[in-house]
Each structure stands twice: as C-alpha cells, then as structure tokens.
Amino acid sequence: MIFKLDKRLCFPNPSDGEKDGLLAIGGDLSVDRLLLAYSHGIFPWYAFKSEVIQWWCPMDRFVIFPDKIHVSHSMRTLMNKRRYKVSFNQAFPEVIRNCGALREDMEGAWLGPNIIKAYTALHEQGFAMSVEVWEQDENESATDKKHKLVGGLYGVTLGKCFFGESMFSLAPSASKIALIDLCYLMQKKGGNMIDCQFETPHLKSMGGEHITYDEYMKYVNDVD
C-alpha cells in the first residue's frame, strides 16, 4: 500500500509499504520530517522534475559495516601513494552539487534543487556531512599545494549511523577513497553502520551486505 502524507509530521508503519520499498508520497522535505524519516529507515527518492515526493523504506537493507570495509590491494597501493587528500565537512555544498550535476541528465534523476536545499539545511544543523577527496592541481607548483575537488560523498548522520545519499568521482577511485576514509573515521568514533540504500556492484565489492529491516533498526536505535 502507498500512503499519502499531509502536513502532519508522521509516517505509516514501514512494513505496510509496497514490496519494492515505496511507502508513501507527499509531505515535505523539512528538517524535522527528514530526521523522523531517517530514524525509521525511510528516505526520499524521486525524480526531481516530478512535484510528488516519494518515500521509500525497503525491508531488505543493503549496508556496510565500517569494520568490514573491503580495501583491495590496488586501493591500498593507490592510497599509499598519497596522491589524494581527504577532508570532512569542508565543502558540503560543492560535494552535493557535483553529485547532482553528474546525474542531471539521467532518466529519473533525483538530486535536484529541492533535495540540495533540504540536505544543505540538514548539514547546517549538524545532521548531514560530506567527505571530500582532493588532488593537487597539476597546474600549481608543489610548494603552493593547492588542491582541486575530484571526488566525495555525502549523507545523513544520526546516532551511530551514516545514511549514504550519493557520491561522485572525477578521478580514478576517488569516491572509493572517500568511502574508505569514512569507514576509518566511523571505526574511531564508534559508528556502527553505513546505510547504502540500494545495492550496486561498486558498493558490494567494498563489503556491502544485505540485512533485514528488523536487524537494521537495531543499529539505528543503538545510541548507547
């Protein structure tokens, strides 16, 4: 069943949604509604050219546990070369705009102006973060050490979880480096799970796995 939301700040029981995970339509992208949604494993995902917001909550969840991140030999070699520099929350607007720009012409592209505005508001209130990957500009001298943004990712942070939204890469494996460094940071800070939303070959190769919604919610509710 697909529910229609109104101005009330609430969601239906996620288990009552469609088999593919579509739960509801309508509502808004306010900070309060987004935080309520993510606290129940619900996220917006819809074509940005459509005026109808769709809310999804798959019962089969695809996640990465930070301490299980798979780093291949080739990735370790690349990272050891120190070709890239990684930062956190230093360029959130640039990261989300790059994520949107790379998908703007795709069918069903969802990262449009309304989503960018909503998640930027989340970031400004401390509930969304970005990971940036920088490469030294070849046109600059080594002494200047100026870098250009070549990859990154962003997502929502609640409790011990990171809910990944999108990533981009303008240089080989830049988005993989962003994900690996995010996992390393979460290991240090006690983070327990990265929600990948949907399976991709890219994420599966890095340790992504499926868990049930009930197991997923145990991690989301782990705030000790």
Side-chain angles (χ1 to χ4, degrees):
M1 182 181 297
I2 301 175
F3 298 84
K4 186 174 182 179
L5 305 181
D6 52 30
K7 293 182 179 180
R8 291 175 295 177
L9 194 60
C10 62
F11 283 97
N13 189 324
S15 63
D16 293 333
E18 297 290 288
K19 290 183 178 180
D20 62 358
L22 181 58
L23 176 65
I25 61 173
D28 55 53
L29 296 173
S30 66
V31 168
D32 287 342
R33 188 180 294 275
L34 285 169
L35 292 178
L36 178 63
Y38 280 96
S39 68
H40 290 86
I42 303 167
F43 55 89
W45 188 51
Y46 65 104
F48 75 82
K49 294 182 180 179
S50 169
E51 296 181 358
V52 180
I53 302 173
Q54 295 181 359
W55 298 91
W56 296 74
C57 187
M59 292 293 100
D60 176 67
R61 308 304 294 231
F62 190 69
V63 304
I64 289 178
F65 296 110
D67 59 349
K68 292 184 179 180
I69 184 70
H70 174 68
V71 184
S72 66
H73 175 73
S74 60
M75 281 302 303
R76 292 185 186 278
T77 300
L78 176 60
M79 294 173 73
N80 288 336
K81 291 180 178 179
R82 302 188 182 279
R83 172 180 173 183
Y84 300 116
K85 174 184 175 182
V86 178
S87 63
F88 300 92
N89 283 330
Q90 296 302 303
F92 186 92
E94 291 88 342
V95 169
I96 195 170
R97 283 200 299 267
N98 271 282
C99 288
L102 291 179
R103 293 161 177 80
E104 190 171 13
D105 296 329
M106 293 182 180
E107 183 178 354
W110 56 272
L111 218 172
N114 289 340
I115 288 287
I116 291 176
K117 180 179 179 180
Y119 285 83
T120 299
L122 276 178
H123 172 66
E124 291 171 348
Q125 294 196 29
F127 294 109
M129 69 171 288
S130 59
V131 183
E132 303 90 20
V133 180
W134 310 85
E135 182 179 27
Q136 184 173 317
D137 193 330
E138 294 180 354
N139 295 322
E140 300 289 341
S141 66
T143 55
D144 288 333
K145 294 185 179 180
K146 292 183 179 179
H147 292 73
K148 58 182 179 181
L149 185 66
V150 295
L153 58 83
Y154 81 95
V156 175
T157 58
L158 279 181
K160 297 181 180 180
C161 296
F162 181 87
F163 304 83
E165 281 298 314
S166 188
M167 56 176 57
F168 80 98
S169 186
L170 302 177
S173 299
S175 62
K176 289 184 178 181
I177 290 175
L179 180 58
I180 291 168
D181 271 62
L182 172 62
C183 286
Y184 289 164
L185 177 67
M186 292 182 70
Q187 289 175 27
K188 293 178 182 178
K189 300 294 186 179
N192 63 17
M193 184 183 72
I194 297 173
D195 178 9
C196 302
Q197 297 183 346
F198 297 106
E199 178 183 335
T200 68
H202 170 82
L203 294 172
K204 189 174 183 179
S205 70
M206 299 187 72
E209 59 186 274
H210 292 272
I211 62 174
T212 66
Y213 176 74
D214 288 342
E215 184 179 358
Y216 169 92
M217 286 304 300
K218 290 179 181 178
Y219 290 99
V220 174
N221 292 324
D222 178 13
V223 294
D224 295 332

